[in-house]
Amino acid sequence: MNWHDFWPPIRISLQVALLSSIIVLILGVAAAWWMSKRRFRGKIVLETVLILPLVLPPTVVGFLLLVILGRKSWIGQAAEWLLHAPIIFSWWAAVIAAVVVSFPLVYQTMKNGFAAIDPELENAGRSSGASEWQVFRHITLPLTYHSLGTAFILGFARGLGEFGATLMIAGNIPGKTQTIPTAIYVAVDAGNMPLAWAWTCAIIVISFLMLLLTGQRNQAGAAEAVEKSGRTLVLPGK
């Protein structure tokens, strides 16, 4: 097995997953916070659209992105004019694909995190004269600390394992857009089973560690919640 061929897909996958998880965390937090504070007609429809990539086949998501970001679309033409290069079949295309497919997981995680916050705590900050941004920064975000960590890890893991949409809009260019899943597909197709097994073991280990970290964070969050509940129960007896 040629180890020089082993490392580039791992490096590209980690870079794509890291950047996409940061981007999708920002977008997911903003969308979940905004949706949790708004009541309007058609909210269910909009929320369904936001989580739709979770149930759509990745190839369908990739095809839609190909149409939206292609060189014949106005978005693709504008991006090519600004960047002097097309988005399709570039490293950024892989990042965009990972962001789109991992957004529903991050959004749902943060939505549940915001829903678990006691509204009285935020109202207390507002009654003290804090602005909405100050309430969000100093009260809401600290209370969703564990949800933030879980959302980031889930977004990272989902972006790391993305295959269909990435192959559709980023292709499989070695050293440029070839991620671990696409590299495994090509290796199996070429009959290079040792290299396919090496990449498979690598992504299993990385994914296992990320999910293990998520489980540990959830257990720590549950323990902290029980501890806080216990302190709350003790206080009236003083």
Side-chain angles (χ1 to χ4, degrees):
M1 187 178 69
N2 189 353
W3 288 99
H4 293 288
D5 297 332
F6 173 76
W7 293 110
I10 294 180
R11 174 181 56 81
I12 293 173
S13 292
L14 292 176
Q15 290 174 345
V16 168
L18 179 60
L19 181 58
S20 66
S21 59
I22 294 174
I23 295 174
V24 78
L25 181 65
I26 296 173
L27 296 177
V29 168
W33 180 74
W34 189 84
M35 291 290 288
S36 65
K37 302 299 180 182
R38 299 292 187 273
R39 299 290 184 271
F40 56 90
R41 183 177 298 178
K43 179 179 179 180
I44 296 179
V45 176
L46 178 57
E47 192 166 45
T48 303
V49 172
L50 292 177
I51 64 176
L52 192 59
L54 185 64
V55 296
L56 285 177
T59 51
V60 174
V61 176
F63 173 74
L64 293 176
L65 290 175
L66 189 63
V67 173
I68 295 173
L69 303 176
R71 305 186 74 171
K72 293 184 178 180
S73 69
W74 68 268
I75 297 179
Q77 292 174 355
E80 186 172 354
W81 179 76
L82 290 173
L83 303 175
H84 304 288
I87 298 179
I88 303 301
F89 301 118
S90 68
W91 184 82
W92 283 103
V95 175
I96 294 173
V99 168
V100 172
V101 299
S102 60
F103 177 84
L105 290 174
V106 175
Y107 172 78
Q108 288 283 42
T109 302
M110 293 310 305
K111 177 186 173 183
N112 295 334
F114 290 138
I117 297 177
D118 186 355
E120 295 299 326
L121 297 176
E122 296 177 321
N123 292 333
R126 296 186 184 98
S127 64
S128 300
S131 63
E132 286 298 323
W133 167 248
Q134 290 174 324
V135 171
F136 176 74
R137 180 181 177 184
H138 298 289
I139 298 177
T140 306
L141 276 185
L143 291 175
T144 57
Y145 171 75
H146 291 289
S147 296
L148 283 169
T150 302
F152 177 82
I153 294 173
L154 290 177
F156 184 94
R158 183 64 185 88
L160 184 70
E162 168 51 32
F163 172 74
T166 301
L167 188 62
M168 289 285 289
I169 70 169
N172 185 42
I173 306 173
K176 185 178 180 182
T177 64
Q178 187 181 63
T179 58
I180 298 177
T182 56
I184 294 173
Y185 176 81
V186 172
V188 172
D189 187 59
N192 192 345
M193 299 308 294
L195 195 55
W197 269 113
W199 280 323
T200 299
C201 293
I203 198 169
I204 288 175
V205 170
I206 297 173
S207 301
F208 176 82
L209 292 176
M210 298 302 293
L211 292 178
L212 182 64
L213 183 59
T214 303
Q216 290 177 343
R217 293 186 64 87
N218 290 337
Q219 290 181 357
E224 183 178 348
V226 171
E227 183 180 355
K228 287 182 178 179
S229 300
R231 289 200 300 265
T232 303
L233 293 174
V234 170
L235 287 176
K238 287 187 176 181

